Amino acid sequence: MLRGRTRIQSECRASATYPILSAGFVTETNEPVLPPWTVIERGGVKLGIFALVGSDFEKLVKPTDRPEGSRFVDGEKVAPAIILHLRQVEKVDAGIE
């Protein structure tokens, strides 16, 4: 059984018609809690879209409102690796944060 906001967040995520992304929201083993990026193609242009968390997120989202053991990593620290992955692996034409 999911607790309060975690249950609500799961229900919102399930009903969303768009990707919910968050680079830097990770588990104890540094695995992403949510997808850090997505790739879409529009008009023949391949776009890499990613979402970063700010350094204040640790204060904004209480530990009781997120999966046990999860934490936030500063977006500025994870952005270079995401951009490199999107360019080299996903072969995107442009990145959007």
Side-chain angles (χ1 to χ4, degrees):
M1 182 170 160
L2 299 172
R3 330 177 278 250
R5 288 192 182 181
T6 304
R7 180 185 58 77
I8 293 167
Q9 290 167 350
S10 294
E11 290 171 4
C12 289
R13 210 176 10 222
S15 67
T17 58
Y18 51 86
I20 298 175
L21 309 172
S22 182
F25 184 26
V26 298
T27 67
E28 294 172 318
T29 59
N30 288 323
E31 295 297 318
V33 172
L34 296 168
W37 64 79
T38 190
V39 177
I40 62 171
E41 191 170 330
R42 295 290 188 270
V45 177
K46 196 171 180 183
L47 302 169
I49 302 170
F50 62 102
L52 299 176
V53 296
S55 59
D56 61 342
F57 245 67
E58 195 68 44
K59 296 173 190 169
L60 296 174
V61 182
K62 295 183 276 185
T64 56
D65 292 337
R66 58 186 190 229
E68 188 175 333
S70 64
R71 61 189 175 82
F72 293 95
V73 178
D74 190 347
E76 289 185 21
K77 294 179 181 175
V78 298
I82 291 170
I83 293 166
L84 189 66
H85 174 86
L86 289 171
R87 287 180 179 162
Q88 293 183 350
V89 177
E90 303 293 339
K91 308 290 187 202
V92 300
D93 298 306
I96 302 170
E97 182 254 326

